[in-house]
Structure formats: C-alpha cells, structure tokens
Amino acid sequence: EAQVTQNPRYLITVTGKKLTVTCSQNMNHEYMSWYRQDPGLGLRQIYYSMNVEVTDKGDVPEGYKVSRKEKRNFPLILESPSPNQTSLYFCASSLRATAVSYNEQFFGPGTRLTVL
Amino acid sequence: AQSVTQPDIHITVSEGASLELRCNYSYGATPYLFWYVQSPGQGLQLLLKYFSGDTLVQGIKGFEAEFKRSQSSFNLRKPSVHWSDAAEYFCAVVGGNYGGSQGNLIFGKGTKLSVKP
C-alpha cells in the first residue's frame, strides 16, 4: 500500500531532550516536507526536500533540523525541544514539486508532540 | 505573499442538506488549488485539486469545487451531506516559485463541519 508513515504517533518529552520524528514513504517520491499544525494557525511548513541531499527552510524552521540521506526517509530532529514546539506534526511527500511539474502531496498520519 | 482565507471557522448543516465551504486565495499567478479533509485524529486526505482546464472539478466522496479566477475563489460543494462528512476542511494553494519555498502548501485556517442528524 502506498503510504507515508511517521513514528512515533504520540510523544511526550521534556524541555531540552533531543528527539527525532521519523518519516518514510514508499512511493519513490522526490519531494518531502514537514508541517506543523496549531489551533487557529492551520498548517505551516517547517522544512522541505526537493530530493536526496537537497533540503531547505520553510516558513517556521527555527528549532528544527532535517536530513535527506535516502530518498524514502526524511527525519525531523528537535535538538533541544521547547514547550512552544508542542504541536501536531505532519510529514508529506510528492512525486515532484517544481514550477514546471507539480504533483499533489500525500500526508502521513501525524505525530502529536508534547514538550513539558 | 500568497494567502488563503476560509471565512467560516465552524459550519453546522443538517444531514441531507447541501454544503458550500468558502475559500479565497491571494496568488499572483495561475494557482494550484486543493481541498483536504481531516477527520478527528486522522491525517489529511486530498479531496480534489485544480491545476488547469475545466474550472469545475470533481473529487472523492461526492465533493466538487469551482475555480473562479475573477473572484479568486475555490469553493467546495456537496449536494447532500452525510454524517460521516463531519470533519475539518482545509483549502490550500501552492506557494513558492515567487519568493517562497518550493512546493509549500499555503493552508487556510480550516472550516470545521458539524452535521446534525
């Protein structure tokens, strides 16, 4: 089944304790992205990756890191989480997302993160 | 900057009634437009998309949307709502290519739909 998977689905942690949220897709998509969803603010892009080893900042990148060493995986790293990073996080992937070739994004199930 | 406005935060309709969810966008070029649905505790599922061509697009679950360039709108419609349609609906436009990040979906803040029996 074609899908985007995220782990963990739920995570409660404490301020300053490094964590990684994994994202994997099995559709051979080039483009992957992370969003966070907050009440009243909708979804906002954190980081994206156009392909392996190509990543760039989205609208709200502060406090986050990403890497894209393999096409299928795009982990989100919080090196020193803070309470304002408590949110619902979504990973998404797309076959391609350029000005001349754009395909719709498929979303993972979400990871609910609480930072105490 | 690109933006998406969903004027209605919460809408309640009776089961079997028709539905229209409003979406207005601000974008300087031909937009790529989307409607996603998020059921409670679930991820986002694509309902339909508009890239070009026919301005009335059909989606899954009996939904349709009409792109009106003159009004910068992409309203979502369904002729007869089912209780299972209760969810939150997000309109989105692709940003980027004009100063933003590539492929960045600019989302509206969402409209929560409640369905009365």
Side-chain angles (χ1 to χ4, degrees):
Chain A
E1 180 190 355
Q3 60 183 345
V4 179
T5 57
Q6 296 178 225
N7 283 291
R9 295 287 313 279
Y10 302 90
L11 179 60
I12 301 174
T13 189
V14 295
T15 299
K17 186 176 181 182
K18 181 178 179 180
L19 67 91
T20 299
V21 183
T22 65
C23 172
S24 182
Q25 51 91 6
N26 62 0
M27 296 171 278
N28 201 36
H29 284 173
E30 291 183 359
Y31 180 93
M32 297 185 76
S33 181
W34 277 102
Y35 295 85
R36 60 177 288 174
Q37 182 181 22
D38 301 291
L41 296 178
L43 287 89
R44 295 173 292 167
Q45 190 185 55
I46 303 170
Y47 268 94
Y48 67 98
S49 169
M50 299 294 285
N51 214 323
V52 176
E53 302 291 2
V54 181
T55 64
D56 208 344
K57 297 176 181 178
D59 292 332
V60 288
E62 294 76 20
Y64 304 95
K65 284 177 57 176
V66 293
S67 68
R68 186 92 182 271
K69 294 184 171 57
E70 307 166 278
K71 199 170 189 178
R72 63 184 294 127
N73 296 323
F74 190 46
L76 179 70
I77 303 156
L78 285 72
E79 297 216 322
S80 184
S82 62
N84 64 12
Q85 292 178 298
T86 293
S87 187
L88 180 58
Y89 291 86
F90 288 102
C91 180
S93 75
S94 170
L95 181 62
R96 209 160 286 117
T98 69
V100 295
S101 178
Y102 186 86
N103 303 93
E104 64 266 29
Q105 294 186 31
F106 295 87
F107 284 78
T111 295
R112 186 166 292 281
L113 172 66
T114 301
V115 183
L116 302 173
Chain B
Q2 301 93 349
S3 66
V4 175
T5 302
Q6 294 180 247
D8 305 304
I9 296 172
H10 191 184
I11 283 183
T12 300
V13 301
S14 297
E15 191 167 18
S18 64
L19 171 70
E20 182 169 30
L21 302 182
R22 296 183 290 165
C23 172
N24 292 95
Y25 66 90
S26 170
Y27 194 64
T30 302
Y32 295 158
L33 293 158
F34 307 84
W35 275 99
Y36 283 87
V37 60
Q38 184 179 27
S39 299
Q42 303 294 313
L44 284 89
Q45 181 182 23
L46 180 68
L47 281 176
L48 46 79
K49 62 183 185 282
Y50 172 78
F51 284 3
S52 65
D54 193 346
T55 56
L56 184 64
V57 293
Q58 303 295 322
I60 62 171
K61 304 185 180 187
F63 286 92
E64 67 177 27
E66 186 170 13
F67 170 59
K68 293 186 178 180
R69 185 187 300 277
S70 62
Q71 299 176 19
S72 296
S73 69
F74 189 56
N75 294 348
L76 181 71
R77 301 194 293 249
K78 186 169 185 178
S80 178
V81 169
H82 188 262
W83 63 266
S84 60
D85 293 324
E88 190 157 20
Y89 293 80
F90 292 92
C91 181
V93 64
V94 172
N97 310 320
Y98 295 91
S101 61
Q102 292 284 350
N104 184 10
L105 278 168
I106 308 295
F107 285 88
K109 290 182 169 52
T111 298
K112 185 175 181 181
L113 173 66
S114 297
V115 180
K116 289 190 301 185

